[in-house]
Amino acid sequence: MEVRTVKTGGRFEEIGAYARVKRVGPFVYVAGTTAIEPSGKLHAPDDTYAQAIFIFKRIEEALPEVGASMHHVVRTRAFLTDMAAGGAGFVRAHGEVFAGIDPVTSSVEAGLTTPGMMIEIEADAVIHDEN
């Protein structure tokens, strides 16, 4: 069974001994991903929609490293600092990114570590043929 692990240089990946993306056979798991830019700066503080779009782009860029793409995503999970204030932004971004793919999704309200960080997203995918 094929196993592939991808690290993307996240600040906690080495310390926490985890990967950004892990593939085991046809199953792909993407770790909780936030809107921290390569510079270490938070992207679009207090803007859930902009952070979600940024995060989805990071996920989209990481998936090919294990032979997957966004059309393989079957589940997303979002952790929002304020569901009432940010839920609509997440749903809008998710709808734009996954139109026609329609993975299942869930959202929970959770505390995040950086002021202005509104959302963290994880994704699961299954590599499958088009049929």
Side-chain angles (χ1 to χ4, degrees):
M1 179 177 298
E2 179 179 13
V3 176
R4 284 198 242 173
T5 301
V6 175
K7 296 193 177 203
T8 58
R11 60 186 177 164
F12 297 122
E13 287 177 5
E14 290 306 317
I15 296 167
Y18 75 89
R20 174 70 40 212
V21 182
K22 183 95 170 188
R23 175 179 175 173
V24 180
F27 304 103
V28 177
Y29 308 94
V30 181
T33 303
T34 62
I36 299 293
E37 297 172 352
S39 67
K41 177 183 170 192
L42 177 64
H43 181 79
D46 301 311
D47 186 337
T48 304
Y49 170 80
Q51 289 183 19
I53 292 293
F54 182 89
I55 292 165
F56 286 135
K57 286 182 182 184
R58 286 186 68 197
I59 291 170
E60 184 175 29
E61 291 170 357
L63 287 172
E65 297 289 325
V66 295
S69 67
M70 293 298 263
H71 82 273
H72 293 119
V73 173
V74 296
R75 177 189 304 269
T76 61
R77 286 178 207 86
F79 303 92
L80 295 118
T81 58
D82 186 335
M83 191 77 76
F90 167 66
V91 170
R92 184 173 138 221
H94 196 278
E96 290 173 11
V97 170
F98 290 107
I101 300 170
D102 303 327
V104 299
T105 191
S106 56
S107 303
V108 294
E109 192 164 291
L112 298 175
T113 60
T114 303
M117 184 180 286
M118 304 302 292
I119 188 166
E120 179 173 337
I121 302 170
E122 37 179 59
D124 300 331
V126 178
I127 298 173
H128 59 279
D129 64 26
E130 293 302 315
N131 297 321

